[in-house]
Amino acid sequence: MKRVAIVGGGVAGLAAAYELARLARNGASLQVVLFEASTRLGGIIETVHEGGFVIECGPDAWVTEKPWARELAEELGLGNEVMPSNDATRKTYVLVDKKLQAMPDGMRMMVPVDLDAMDASDMFSAAAKLAYHEEMGRAEELREAAPDQDESVAEFVRRHFGDEVLAKIGAPLLSGVFGGDVTKLSVRAVMAPFVAMERERGSLIGALQASVAAKRHSVFTTLRSGMGTLVDRMIAAIPEDWVRLLAEVRFISYGEEGWLVGTARGVERFDAVMMAAPVDVACSLLSPVDPEVAPLMEMDASSAVVAAFGFPDAAKFPVPPGFGFLVPPGSDSLLLAGTFVDQKFEDRVPQGGRLVRAFFGGKAAERLMRCGNDETAAVARMELARILGPLPEPQVTVVRRWPRSLPQYAVGHLERMKKLDERVSALDGLWLLGNGYHGVGVPDLVRDARVAARRMARKSEGLAEVAEL
Ligand SMILES: Cc1cc2nc3c(=O)[nH]c(=O)nc-3n(C[C@H](O)[C@H](O)[C@H](O)COP(=O)(O)OP(=O)(O)OC[C@H]3O[C@@H](n4cnc5c(N)ncnc54)[C@H](O)[C@@H]3O)c2cc1C
């Protein structure tokens, strides 16, 4: 019987535990302990149900193109719950000169699939529109100039479309997802599909227009009752006695006796450790095990603060049609983004209600980290009101702080991760999971955790067949 410790019960640790439970049910000889420091499982995934509102405190959806979260949901019997975003009304605004300006239809991040829609939009100057049109004609030049090395998102976007597109769409979009600085974020780590398109076709617009998939499906997918249901269903499929809450792992060591994992309650021996705590925590727990891993795991991380407001009567708080808005860095607003939740997804509000979510990142989030819920909610309401007009009294308010929750994949990230993976694979029985390494999105985390769990079980059983169980 192999003993496996999973450290951290966010979606990565849970997906690993779920996969191991599945393998154990199919005969793999495994005994698992999932150590979770807090009182609840799910980590950044949390859905609050209150007064008929379905309020996401962390992720509200996954990118449809990546199938791994949907596959897991279907496996967990949630096929009927899987629902797309309301893409018929998809529109995203950007705060430009204190006003919300609609992004043109048919954009895939900062790349327009439909150049006519882009031309018809008021968002860009004539020079930026020309830069978009010229990008297709520059395909060969762009393909040949594609660098062998990693570069920043800013350099990449600038090369294709120029400064204005970077400032108006590139920077706010990437900050909205990663809470980060486009001049530091690694394009290969955070925009890999675009890098591949550049390598193959040169022009990103040309590549997207050629891809039928880009035009077909909705961009985001979620669960009708919220992302928390994915967590609840995984928990239900994991043996209860595998899970320990309020069990913060305080040290880890590795030696001839295998892995030792220590909490306030004592020390236990394991054959393998699946480290799914946030990268900062993982780094400090593992640096005594191998001092060379620590420098490879050190990275900046951005904090996030979310404040959601549910209103009983949408008519009393009209918002523009669409999914919400982004705020470019340097704007006169503390917000990073706002989501019109009831317009983005069905069934998020009681009949006739309105749900708006404010999202803070970067320095504003750091400052709000020190404020109480009431103060944070007041700041969020004030910042929303400056953009959308006066807010009525909300029926429901939910505030969440996620300190250092969005690791920043800086230029060179992929090479660093390659070295880290080599180093870690030399330590028999250690697996790194979670959002610090190979993707921050829920689908990537689910896929990587399940693959690692299968590999781990196969290795510990010495049976190739375990992978197929
Ligand atoms: C506000 C916000 C919105 C987001 N929106 C989206 C989205 O729409 N779509 C999307 O795909 N992704 C989104 N993301 C990213 C995604 O949600 C995260 O990358 C993902 O949930 C992280 O999961 P994880 O398991 O790696 O880490 P976490 O969820 O951080 O889980 C780590 C767990 O480890 C525990 N822990 C910490 N220290 C210890 C210890 N010493 N011992 C034991 N346990 C420990 C923690 O308590 C926590 O439960 C969003 C992120 C944020 C912050």
Side-chain angles (χ1 to χ4, degrees), residues 8-75:
V11 66
L14 276 173
Y18 165 76
E19 189 63 27
L20 293 179
R22 205 178 66 83
L23 295 170
R25 275 197 304 279
N26 286 316
S29 182
L30 296 164
Q31 196 182 40
V32 179
V33 179
L34 169 56
F35 294 96
E36 166 54 46
S38 74
T39 52
R40 54 172 283 279
L41 295 169
I44 299 169
I45 297 186
E46 186 187 354
T47 307
V48 171
H49 296 263
E50 200 179 322
F53 294 93
V54 179
I55 301 169
E56 298 290 11
C57 302
D60 65 355
W62 63 80
V63 173
T64 307
E65 262 168 32
K66 299 187 172 188
W68 309 289
R70 179 184 42 75
E71 283 167 8
L72 173 64
E74 285 169 356
E75 220 176 287

Side-chain angles (χ1 to χ4, degrees), residues 6-14 35-45 57-63 176-177 220 227 247-250 263 276-278 281-282 285 302-306 344 357 359-360 402 405-407 433-436 439-445:
I6 300 175
V7 183
V11 66
L14 276 173
F35 294 96
E36 166 54 46
S38 74
T39 52
R40 54 172 283 279
L41 295 169
I44 299 169
I45 297 186
C57 302
D60 65 355
W62 63 80
V63 173
V177 180
F220 303 110
M227 299 288 286
E248 181 191 358
V249 170
R250 297 199 172 157
T263 64
V281 177
L285 285 171
S302 176
S303 297
V305 173
V306 166
K344 185 173 178 186
R357 190 171 91 148
F359 183 53
F360 299 91
W402 303 113
S405 50
L406 291 164
L433 308 175
N435 66 8
V440 301
V442 172
D444 303 279
L445 298 176

Side-chain angles (χ1 to χ4, degrees), residues 67-128:
W68 309 289
R70 179 184 42 75
E71 283 167 8
L72 173 64
E74 285 169 356
E75 220 176 287
L76 289 164
L78 293 169
N80 293 341
E81 284 252 348
V82 172
M83 73 171 182
S85 47
N86 290 330
D87 278 25
T89 59
R90 184 159 82 95
K91 203 167 255 315
T92 302
Y93 299 84
V94 178
L95 190 70
V96 182
D97 298 332
K98 302 187 182 181
K99 290 206 176 64
L100 292 183
Q101 274 201 2
M103 269 169 56
D105 289 341
M107 299 292 285
R108 286 289 179 273
M109 299 189 80
M110 67 292 293
V111 187
V113 183
D114 181 349
L115 282 172
D116 292 339
M118 190 277 300
D119 275 335
S121 135
D122 295 333
M123 173 138 222
F124 301 107
S125 69

Side-chain angles (χ1 to χ4, degrees), residues 241-269:
D241 61 354
W242 283 14
V243 177
R244 296 202 201 145
L245 297 178
L246 285 171
E248 181 191 358
V249 170
R250 297 199 172 157
F251 84 84
I252 292 183
S253 72
Y254 174 60
E256 277 172 14
E257 69 282 58
W259 292 90
L260 297 179
V261 174
T263 64
R265 283 179 229 157
V267 177
E268 287 174 70
R269 200 201 69 78

